Amino acid sequence: MISSMQHVRCPGLAFLETTSLPINYPVTESMMSCIHVRCPPRLWLGLAFLPKTPSLIRNRVLFPRNVFSCPAKFAESELEGSFSFRTVPPNLVAAEKEEAKAVLTLFLKKQGLSNAGSARIIKKSEAFIDHLVSRLHSIHKSHYLVGRELTTLEIRDALIPYLETLHEEYGDILVDVVESYPNLPVKVEEKEEEDIHKPPLPTTPSSPPSTILDSKKLKALARVTDPGPKRKLPSYVPYLAELGMDLELIRKITRKFPAFAFYSLEGKIKPVVEFLLELGIPKSQVATILTKRPQLCGISLSENLIPTMTFLENLGVDKRQWAKVIYRSPSLLTYSKPRLKVTVDFLYEMGLSAESVSKVLTRCPNIISYSVEDKLRPAAEYFRSLGVDVATILYRCPQTFGLSINTHIKPTTEFFVDKGYSVAEVASMVSKYAALYTFSLATLVLKWDFFLTMGYPKSELIKFPQYFGYSLEERIKPRYAIMVDNGVRLLLNQLLSLSDDEFDKALKKKLKKLDEN
């Protein structure tokens, strides 16, 4: 449980939860790795520290020195008890910053900004970039514990939904949020929510229209705002609380999808929740699913959800894996049947068998969200031009087809060609290790540079491209150091792919041969 919360100023995260640090205490990089973050996305931007009657000066919030504790939990990133991160190597942090900048740049361009405009914003947003990286470390804490580095897709999938949430909340002033972080611009919504039951203040001409809530959202938020002794919250609030969804999270969902606040417990929410539980989905995951896709509660079970599931089962989804499929991609059940069929038909067109289609849809249901004509087919044509079997990559790593050809896939190919590999050799590498294209160029560069110091011929990477999938700091460097200390030489795949016991046996076997000679 949280015992106290302090307002700590530090690079990468403006407001952190600690149990003993005083205000403005200097936080070092090593201390940063041990800080436990436990606030929902809205609070990550400091909104938990808004005073009840904030003073406004030129669209800035003046934060008080004394702040209240934050009991709110976020279902997707909640941590039980304390947690300490291993210190992330500086070179990896630098690579992740570049990835975060790329994701933010693409997101800003998607909102209509030009290349030059996006670049200017990125230059002014170092603190926000650090914040995005620290969020990665919180969401994917288990990866860092085992020394596993994040792929580009994992970074994108973690940050884009967060940026979309911020855009939904801040609208046209999102750029101000990014540039001024952690000193946030005023968001009229916060003031309006607190004053819902007070006489409205007159709107001045200087108030930007984009920051004023429409009446529908305002009414929705009023239903899930703590009403005091005279009014009761909707009956679904205590019901959802039993699933681990506190009032703050319900309000977050309402901002994202206002219709959710008007759903009835017995007619809409409870039937869907019970249906998900019957599928074997844990309560904690039900909360995450509803947060990701609250629209599910507005869809009829008998007329839509169950028929869609039956349709997907006929297309190849393993019905024994529905719990995992829905948790990974709850939006899958909201797509129309024609949309679902188009993607499945494409998979068959690429040469996948019925069994392979079933496994792809089960392991990577997000592939349904990829446009066939804008994403899947162009990627397939590109890989085919390299001489790669498209069906093999689709089966082994369908996530690759969600990457941008011009900004990620082609530059990765060019990276290896620049290092002296032929296109045919690159094709051989990706055929053996389909996930090769999911790593950022920054990560590939770091591992390539170390590979050059190891004394192996470049042909070893053609035989064993999986080298790029191992952690440089947690696997490659330690194993290589042990091998060198023992004065022996192992093949690259032996060096990295063997378990610790098998690795020890291989070293002893090599040493024994040296002694015999």
Short mmCIF file of all heavy atoms in Angstrom, two decimals, residues 217-255:
data_model
loop_
_atom_site.label_atom_id
_atom_site.label_comp_id
_atom_site.label_asym_id
_atom_site.label_seq_id
_atom_site.Cartn_x
_atom_site.Cartn_y
_atom_site.Cartn_z
N LYS A 217 -20.19 14.61 -22.97
CA LYS A 217 -19.10 14.14 -22.12
C LYS A 217 -19.25 14.69 -20.70
O LYS A 217 -18.97 14.01 -19.72
CB LYS A 217 -17.75 14.53 -22.71
CG LYS A 217 -16.57 14.03 -21.89
CD LYS A 217 -15.22 14.40 -22.49
CE LYS A 217 -14.91 13.54 -23.69
NZ LYS A 217 -13.49 13.75 -24.14
N LEU A 218 -19.70 15.93 -20.62
CA LEU A 218 -19.86 16.55 -19.30
C LEU A 218 -20.91 15.80 -18.49
O LEU A 218 -20.73 15.54 -17.30
CB LEU A 218 -20.25 18.02 -19.47
CG LEU A 218 -20.22 18.88 -18.21
CD1 LEU A 218 -18.84 18.90 -17.61
CD2 LEU A 218 -20.69 20.30 -18.54
N LYS A 219 -22.02 15.46 -19.13
CA LYS A 219 -23.08 14.71 -18.45
C LYS A 219 -22.57 13.31 -18.05
O LYS A 219 -22.90 12.81 -16.97
CB LYS A 219 -24.30 14.58 -19.34
CG LYS A 219 -25.05 15.89 -19.56
CD LYS A 219 -26.22 15.68 -20.53
CE LYS A 219 -26.96 17.00 -20.77
NZ LYS A 219 -28.07 16.83 -21.74
N ALA A 220 -21.79 12.71 -18.94
CA ALA A 220 -21.25 11.37 -18.64
C ALA A 220 -20.33 11.42 -17.43
O ALA A 220 -20.42 10.58 -16.53
CB ALA A 220 -20.52 10.83 -19.86
N LEU A 221 -19.45 12.41 -17.39
CA LEU A 221 -18.53 12.54 -16.27
C LEU A 221 -19.26 12.86 -14.98
O LEU A 221 -18.85 12.44 -13.90
CB LEU A 221 -17.49 13.62 -16.57
CG LEU A 221 -16.41 13.22 -17.59
CD1 LEU A 221 -15.63 14.44 -18.04
CD2 LEU A 221 -15.48 12.17 -17.02
N ALA A 222 -20.37 13.60 -15.09
CA ALA A 222 -21.14 13.93 -13.90
C ALA A 222 -21.70 12.68 -13.23
O ALA A 222 -21.82 12.61 -12.00
CB ALA A 222 -22.28 14.88 -14.26
N ARG A 223 -22.01 11.67 -14.03
CA ARG A 223 -22.57 10.43 -13.47
C ARG A 223 -21.54 9.65 -12.65
O ARG A 223 -21.91 8.90 -11.74
CB ARG A 223 -23.10 9.53 -14.59
CG ARG A 223 -24.40 10.00 -15.20
CD ARG A 223 -24.85 9.07 -16.31
NE ARG A 223 -25.01 7.69 -15.87
CZ ARG A 223 -26.10 7.20 -15.26
NH1 ARG A 223 -27.10 8.01 -14.97
NH2 ARG A 223 -26.16 5.93 -14.92
N VAL A 224 -20.26 9.80 -13.00
CA VAL A 224 -19.24 9.03 -12.29
C VAL A 224 -18.34 9.93 -11.44
O VAL A 224 -17.24 9.55 -11.08
CB VAL A 224 -18.38 8.21 -13.29
CG1 VAL A 224 -19.20 7.14 -13.96
CG2 VAL A 224 -17.75 9.12 -14.34
N THR A 225 -18.82 11.14 -11.16
CA THR A 225 -18.12 12.03 -10.25
C THR A 225 -18.71 11.87 -8.86
O THR A 225 -19.93 11.80 -8.71
CB THR A 225 -18.24 13.50 -10.70
OG1 THR A 225 -17.63 13.64 -11.98
CG2 THR A 225 -17.55 14.43 -9.71
N ASP A 226 -17.86 11.77 -7.86
CA ASP A 226 -18.32 11.56 -6.50
C ASP A 226 -19.37 12.62 -6.14
O ASP A 226 -19.06 13.81 -6.04
CB ASP A 226 -17.13 11.66 -5.54
CG ASP A 226 -17.50 11.21 -4.13
OD1 ASP A 226 -18.66 10.82 -3.93
OD2 ASP A 226 -16.62 11.26 -3.25
N PRO A 227 -20.64 12.24 -5.95
CA PRO A 227 -21.71 13.22 -5.81
C PRO A 227 -21.94 13.73 -4.40
O PRO A 227 -22.74 14.64 -4.21
CB PRO A 227 -22.93 12.42 -6.29
CG PRO A 227 -22.63 11.03 -5.84
CD PRO A 227 -21.14 10.87 -5.92
N GLY A 228 -21.30 13.13 -3.41
CA GLY A 228 -21.57 13.56 -2.04
C GLY A 228 -22.77 12.82 -1.45
O GLY A 228 -23.27 11.84 -2.02
N PRO A 229 -23.30 13.28 -0.30
CA PRO A 229 -24.33 12.53 0.41
C PRO A 229 -25.70 12.53 -0.25
O PRO A 229 -26.53 11.69 0.04
CB PRO A 229 -24.38 13.24 1.77
CG PRO A 229 -23.90 14.64 1.48
CD PRO A 229 -22.89 14.50 0.40
N LYS A 230 -25.99 13.48 -1.13
CA LYS A 230 -27.34 13.62 -1.66
C LYS A 230 -27.60 12.72 -2.87
O LYS A 230 -28.75 12.48 -3.21
CB LYS A 230 -27.61 15.08 -2.05
CG LYS A 230 -27.63 16.03 -0.85
CD LYS A 230 -27.97 17.44 -1.29
CE LYS A 230 -28.02 18.38 -0.09
NZ LYS A 230 -28.37 19.77 -0.50
N ARG A 231 -26.56 12.27 -3.52
CA ARG A 231 -26.73 11.43 -4.72
C ARG A 231 -25.87 10.19 -4.61
O ARG A 231 -24.85 10.18 -3.95
CB ARG A 231 -26.33 12.21 -5.97
CG ARG A 231 -27.30 13.29 -6.39
CD ARG A 231 -26.78 13.99 -7.64
NE ARG A 231 -26.50 13.03 -8.71
CZ ARG A 231 -25.76 13.31 -9.77
NH1 ARG A 231 -25.22 14.50 -9.89
NH2 ARG A 231 -25.56 12.41 -10.71
N LYS A 232 -26.32 9.12 -5.29
CA LYS A 232 -25.56 7.88 -5.30
C LYS A 232 -24.93 7.68 -6.67
O LYS A 232 -25.47 8.09 -7.69
CB LYS A 232 -26.47 6.70 -4.98
CG LYS A 232 -27.00 6.67 -3.55
CD LYS A 232 -27.81 5.41 -3.31
CE LYS A 232 -28.30 5.34 -1.88
NZ LYS A 232 -29.11 4.11 -1.63
N LEU A 233 -23.78 7.03 -6.65
CA LEU A 233 -23.14 6.67 -7.90
C LEU A 233 -23.92 5.55 -8.57
O LEU A 233 -24.64 4.80 -7.92
CB LEU A 233 -21.70 6.23 -7.64
CG LEU A 233 -20.72 7.32 -7.20
CD1 LEU A 233 -19.43 6.69 -6.70
CD2 LEU A 233 -20.42 8.27 -8.36
N PRO A 234 -23.80 5.40 -9.90
CA PRO A 234 -24.49 4.30 -10.59
C PRO A 234 -24.13 2.95 -10.00
O PRO A 234 -23.02 2.76 -9.47
CB PRO A 234 -23.97 4.44 -12.03
CG PRO A 234 -23.57 5.86 -12.16
CD PRO A 234 -23.05 6.26 -10.82
N SER A 235 -25.04 2.00 -10.10
CA SER A 235 -24.85 0.69 -9.48
C SER A 235 -23.66 -0.07 -10.05
O SER A 235 -23.12 -0.97 -9.40
CB SER A 235 -26.12 -0.15 -9.64
OG SER A 235 -26.46 -0.29 -11.02
N TYR A 236 -23.25 0.27 -11.27
CA TYR A 236 -22.12 -0.46 -11.85
C TYR A 236 -20.79 -0.06 -11.22
O TYR A 236 -19.79 -0.76 -11.38
CB TYR A 236 -22.05 -0.29 -13.36
CG TYR A 236 -21.94 1.13 -13.87
CD1 TYR A 236 -20.76 1.85 -13.74
CD2 TYR A 236 -23.00 1.74 -14.51
CE1 TYR A 236 -20.65 3.14 -14.22
CE2 TYR A 236 -22.91 3.03 -14.99
CZ TYR A 236 -21.74 3.73 -14.85
OH TYR A 236 -21.63 5.01 -15.32
N VAL A 237 -20.73 1.08 -10.52
CA VAL A 237 -19.47 1.52 -9.93
C VAL A 237 -18.97 0.55 -8.87
O VAL A 237 -17.83 0.08 -8.95
CB VAL A 237 -19.60 2.95 -9.37
CG1 VAL A 237 -18.34 3.32 -8.58
CG2 VAL A 237 -19.80 3.95 -10.51
N PRO A 238 -19.78 0.18 -7.85
CA PRO A 238 -19.29 -0.81 -6.88
C PRO A 238 -19.06 -2.18 -7.50
O PRO A 238 -18.17 -2.92 -7.08
CB PRO A 238 -20.40 -0.85 -5.82
CG PRO A 238 -21.60 -0.27 -6.46
CD PRO A 238 -21.10 0.73 -7.45
N TYR A 239 -19.86 -2.52 -8.53
CA TYR A 239 -19.68 -3.81 -9.20
C TYR A 239 -18.31 -3.87 -9.89
O TYR A 239 -17.57 -4.86 -9.77
CB TYR A 239 -20.80 -4.03 -10.22
CG TYR A 239 -20.65 -5.28 -11.04
CD1 TYR A 239 -21.01 -6.52 -10.52
CD2 TYR A 239 -20.16 -5.23 -12.35
CE1 TYR A 239 -20.87 -7.68 -11.28
CE2 TYR A 239 -20.02 -6.37 -13.11
CZ TYR A 239 -20.38 -7.61 -12.57
OH TYR A 239 -20.25 -8.74 -13.32
N LEU A 240 -17.98 -2.81 -10.61
CA LEU A 240 -16.69 -2.76 -11.29
C LEU A 240 -15.53 -2.64 -10.30
O LEU A 240 -14.42 -3.11 -10.57
CB LEU A 240 -16.66 -1.59 -12.27
CG LEU A 240 -17.60 -1.70 -13.47
CD1 LEU A 240 -17.56 -0.43 -14.31
CD2 LEU A 240 -17.25 -2.90 -14.34
N ALA A 241 -15.80 -2.02 -9.15
CA ALA A 241 -14.77 -1.91 -8.12
C ALA A 241 -14.31 -3.29 -7.66
O ALA A 241 -13.14 -3.50 -7.33
CB ALA A 241 -15.28 -1.09 -6.95
N GLU A 242 -15.25 -4.25 -7.63
CA GLU A 242 -14.90 -5.62 -7.24
C GLU A 242 -13.96 -6.28 -8.25
O GLU A 242 -13.27 -7.25 -7.93
CB GLU A 242 -16.17 -6.46 -7.07
CG GLU A 242 -17.06 -6.01 -5.92
CD GLU A 242 -18.30 -6.87 -5.79
OE1 GLU A 242 -18.45 -7.82 -6.58
OE2 GLU A 242 -19.13 -6.59 -4.90
N LEU A 243 -13.96 -5.75 -9.46
CA LEU A 243 -13.05 -6.27 -10.49
C LEU A 243 -11.70 -5.57 -10.46
O LEU A 243 -10.81 -5.90 -11.24
CB LEU A 243 -13.68 -6.08 -11.88
CG LEU A 243 -15.00 -6.80 -12.17
CD1 LEU A 243 -15.54 -6.39 -13.53
CD2 LEU A 243 -14.82 -8.30 -12.10
N GLY A 244 -11.57 -4.59 -9.56
CA GLY A 244 -10.32 -3.86 -9.46
C GLY A 244 -10.33 -2.54 -10.21
O GLY A 244 -9.27 -1.93 -10.42
N MET A 245 -11.53 -2.07 -10.60
CA MET A 245 -11.64 -0.82 -11.34
C MET A 245 -12.14 0.27 -10.39
O MET A 245 -13.32 0.31 -10.06
CB MET A 245 -12.59 -0.97 -12.53
CG MET A 245 -12.14 -2.02 -13.53
SD MET A 245 -13.35 -2.33 -14.84
CE MET A 245 -13.34 -0.75 -15.69
N ASP A 246 -11.25 1.14 -9.94
CA ASP A 246 -11.67 2.19 -9.02
C ASP A 246 -12.34 3.32 -9.80
O ASP A 246 -12.42 3.31 -11.04
CB ASP A 246 -10.49 2.71 -8.20
CG ASP A 246 -9.37 3.26 -9.07
OD1 ASP A 246 -9.65 3.67 -10.21
OD2 ASP A 246 -8.22 3.27 -8.62
N LEU A 247 -12.83 4.30 -9.06
CA LEU A 247 -13.61 5.38 -9.67
C LEU A 247 -12.77 6.17 -10.67
O LEU A 247 -13.28 6.60 -11.71
CB LEU A 247 -14.15 6.31 -8.58
CG LEU A 247 -15.14 7.39 -9.03
CD1 LEU A 247 -16.35 6.76 -9.72
CD2 LEU A 247 -15.59 8.22 -7.84
N GLU A 248 -11.50 6.34 -10.39
CA GLU A 248 -10.64 7.10 -11.29
C GLU A 248 -10.51 6.40 -12.64
O GLU A 248 -10.54 7.04 -13.70
CB GLU A 248 -9.27 7.29 -10.66
CG GLU A 248 -8.29 8.08 -11.51
CD GLU A 248 -8.85 9.43 -11.91
OE1 GLU A 248 -9.41 10.13 -11.04
OE2 GLU A 248 -8.76 9.77 -13.10
N LEU A 249 -10.39 5.08 -12.61
CA LEU A 249 -10.28 4.33 -13.85
C LEU A 249 -11.59 4.39 -14.63
O LEU A 249 -11.60 4.50 -15.87
CB LEU A 249 -9.89 2.88 -13.56
CG LEU A 249 -9.69 1.97 -14.78
CD1 LEU A 249 -8.69 2.57 -15.74
CD2 LEU A 249 -9.24 0.59 -14.34
N ILE A 250 -12.72 4.32 -13.93
CA ILE A 250 -14.02 4.41 -14.59
C ILE A 250 -14.18 5.78 -15.26
O ILE A 250 -14.71 5.89 -16.37
CB ILE A 250 -15.16 4.16 -13.58
CG1 ILE A 250 -15.08 2.71 -13.06
CG2 ILE A 250 -16.53 4.41 -14.21
CD1 ILE A 250 -16.03 2.41 -11.93
N ARG A 251 -13.70 6.81 -14.60
CA ARG A 251 -13.76 8.14 -15.19
C ARG A 251 -12.85 8.23 -16.42
O ARG A 251 -13.18 8.90 -17.41
CB ARG A 251 -13.34 9.19 -14.16
CG ARG A 251 -14.32 9.32 -13.01
CD ARG A 251 -13.84 10.35 -12.00
NE ARG A 251 -13.95 11.70 -12.55
CZ ARG A 251 -13.36 12.76 -12.01
NH1 ARG A 251 -12.60 12.62 -10.92
NH2 ARG A 251 -13.51 13.95 -12.53
N LYS A 252 -11.72 7.55 -16.38
CA LYS A 252 -10.82 7.52 -17.53
C LYS A 252 -11.53 6.88 -18.73
O LYS A 252 -11.45 7.37 -19.86
CB LYS A 252 -9.57 6.73 -17.18
CG LYS A 252 -8.61 6.52 -18.35
CD LYS A 252 -7.45 5.66 -17.93
CE LYS A 252 -6.50 5.43 -19.10
NZ LYS A 252 -7.11 4.64 -20.18
N ILE A 253 -12.22 5.76 -18.47
CA ILE A 253 -12.97 5.10 -19.53
C ILE A 253 -14.06 6.01 -20.08
O ILE A 253 -14.30 6.08 -21.28
CB ILE A 253 -13.58 3.79 -19.00
CG1 ILE A 253 -12.48 2.79 -18.63
CG2 ILE A 253 -14.52 3.16 -20.03
CD1 ILE A 253 -12.97 1.55 -17.94
N THR A 254 -14.72 6.75 -19.19
CA THR A 254 -15.80 7.63 -19.60
C THR A 254 -15.29 8.76 -20.48
O THR A 254 -15.95 9.17 -21.44
CB THR A 254 -16.50 8.22 -18.35
OG1 THR A 254 -17.00 7.13 -17.55
CG2 THR A 254 -17.65 9.12 -18.74
N ARG A 255 -14.11 9.28 -20.18
CA ARG A 255 -13.53 10.31 -21.05
C ARG A 255 -13.26 9.75 -22.44
O ARG A 255 -13.44 10.43 -23.45
CB ARG A 255 -12.23 10.85 -20.46
CG ARG A 255 -12.40 11.68 -19.21
CD ARG A 255 -11.07 12.34 -18.83
NE ARG A 255 -11.17 12.93 -17.52
CZ ARG A 255 -10.89 12.27 -16.39
NH1 ARG A 255 -10.48 11.02 -16.46
NH2 ARG A 255 -11.01 12.86 -15.23
#
